[in-house]
Amino acid sequence: MRRRSVARTSVELTALGFGASVIGNLYRTTSAADASAAVDAAWDAGIRYFDTAPHYGLGLSEQRLGAALRQRPRDEYVVSSKVGRLLVPNERPQGVDSEGFVVRDDLRRQWDFSRDGVLRSIEDSLRRTGLDRLDIVYVHDPDDHWRQAADEAMPALAELRDQGVVGAIGAGMNQSAMLARFLRETAADVVMLAGRYTLLDQSALDDVLPAAREAGKSVVAAGVFNSGLLSRPWPAQGMKYDYQAAPRELVARARAIAEVCEEHGTSLPAAAIAFPTTHPSTVNVTLGMRDRAQVTQNVALQRSAVPRALWDDLRDRGLIRQDVPITTGGVP
């Protein structure tokens, strides 16, 4: 699988990344066997970038991902995890996690973007994964914690990068405006941009993508299906957009895009995966993959050719922004 480097670092990412949130039991239970089989299938398909976080299943994602990767040659793959949420004992457990993961809530999340919190979080992630290092570390969802994340977390991560302890550092969020600030104002090398540069939302063209180009830094695209609405060839009412029921007008727009995709011999989900890669700053698309079947499907979609003419047609019909830059055509 083709690889691209995170700008100004030695870290190389495969074009497609394995998002491990779902093997942390996001929304529903995933068996340990299915989680392991998903990682095995990803490896067999050539995927060598794996992303996780303490937040995902209160550590379950990190545990399962580490167990599946530990016996593989360490220099052949890249693992990213995140800081900002420490896992601490829950003094008042209710039985199940309240933040979307089907796991026991014996632990709870505690916001902490301090230097000590960063170092403790990385140490805890290494213990849970059983790995010797993390290749990329992102500050995770610091929406309400800009000052501490910028003034304490990022300098601490920069020290670790400069010492060779981690390969690259950055931030991962569902918004783009603050990610642009991380690129412009901090030592970040890369940002993980979730849901803000997709076939239905190109708002990142107003901030984070110009910032990446100006600073010579990189973007990892996540959430390219916008929580599901772009994940099937023909969107329908009741599907999710940004974690909520999709508004009727967005469903109609997604269906209009799907029709154009069909005219060009491709499908909506294939185009959704390819679209972020048409921007020169995007080095990877990372997708959540729960089991072997999802991996097989996503790899096939990513490998399918999406013609450049599709993007031109979508612009001409007003279905994507006129200022969308097209450089690669989405061909893997």
Side-chain angles (χ1 to χ4, degrees):
M1 187 175 289
R2 177 174 52 85
R3 299 183 186 223
R4 291 186 66 185
S5 295
V6 174
R8 304 191 297 187
T9 77
S10 61
V11 178
E12 292 188 336
L13 306 182
T14 47
L16 189 63
F18 182 98
S21 61
V22 288
I23 66 171
N25 287 1
L26 179 63
Y27 302 136
R28 60 184 174 87
T29 299
T30 299
S31 70
D34 278 346
S36 179
V39 177
D40 290 345
W43 187 272
D44 293 343
I47 294 172
R48 294 294 184 271
Y49 174 45
F50 301 85
D51 175 69
T52 184
H55 171 55
Y56 303 154
L58 293 171
L60 180 62
S61 172
E62 290 186 318
Q63 293 167 8
R64 285 178 164 178
L65 183 63
L69 290 176
R70 271 198 297 271
Q71 303 308 313
R72 304 186 188 277
R74 183 63 185 89
D75 290 340
E76 291 188 16
Y77 61 89
V78 171
V79 171
S80 59
S81 193
K82 306 178 180 78
V83 297
R85 292 174 173 94
L86 290 174
L87 302 183
V88 300
N90 187 356
E91 302 85 354
R92 293 184 292 276
Q94 302 298 310
V96 65
D97 179 48
S98 61
E99 296 195 28
F101 295 89
V102 186
V103 294
R104 290 187 56 82
D105 63 342
D106 298 324
L107 299 172
R108 63 175 177 84
R109 302 160 182 86
Q110 178 175 288
W111 291 107
D112 192 336
F113 291 93
S114 69
R115 174 186 174 82
D116 288 346
V118 164
L119 298 177
R120 177 180 165 187
S121 183
I122 292 174
E123 182 179 349
D124 288 347
S125 290
L126 293 175
R127 175 179 50 79
R128 283 188 291 266
T129 60
L131 301 176
D132 64 336
R133 69 178 186 272
L134 300 174
D135 302 287
I136 303 175
V137 179
Y138 301 105
V139 294
H140 198 189
D141 296 336
D143 302 70
D144 299 322
H145 306 273
W146 160 259
R147 185 50 56 200
Q148 189 178 46
D151 290 353
E152 298 185 45
M154 291 305 298
L157 291 177
E159 282 185 32
L160 295 177
R161 180 197 57 197
D162 295 346
Q163 294 166 4
V165 177
V166 299
I169 62 173
M173 303 178 72
N174 289 292
Q175 60 151 295
S176 58
M178 190 177 287
L179 289 182
R181 294 190 67 186
F182 276 106
L183 291 173
R184 289 191 169 110
E185 301 177 33
T186 78
D189 305 300
V190 58
V191 294
M192 178 170 275
L193 173 68
R196 302 286 74 85
Y197 196 59
T198 73
L199 286 172
L200 290 174
D201 183 340
Q202 292 104 55
S203 57
L205 284 172
D206 298 325
D207 39 46
V208 71
L209 291 172
R213 293 203 71 174
E214 292 162 11
K217 297 181 178 182
S218 298
V219 174
V220 167
V224 300
F225 294 142
N226 282 127
S227 300
L229 186 56
L230 299 174
S231 65
R232 297 180 189 173
W234 293 105
Q237 290 300 140
M239 295 181 72
K240 299 290 187 185
Y241 177 82
D242 281 2
Y243 312 107
Q244 299 179 13
R248 186 175 299 275
E249 61 273 15
L250 271 183
V251 175
R253 186 164 154 230
R255 289 186 67 86
I257 295 172
E259 290 173 2
V260 182
C261 290
E262 186 176 61
E263 292 173 14
H264 286 268
T266 187
S267 68
L268 182 63
I273 294 171
F275 175 74
T277 69
T278 62
H279 194 282
S281 295
T282 303
V283 295
N284 165 275
V285 171
T286 290
L287 303 176
M289 306 192 212
R290 192 179 295 273
D291 53 30
R292 182 178 294 275
Q294 285 192 1
V295 174
T296 300
Q297 179 183 34
N298 286 332
V299 169
L301 289 168
Q302 187 268 339
R303 287 177 174 168
S304 64
V306 177
R308 178 192 174 96
L310 170 64
W311 316 124
D312 295 329
D313 203 354
L314 290 173
R315 284 192 298 195
D316 290 343
R317 300 190 196 197
L319 291 170
I320 60 175
R321 283 173 47 160
Q322 296 300 303
D323 55 345
V324 167
I326 304 299
T327 56
T328 68
V331 178

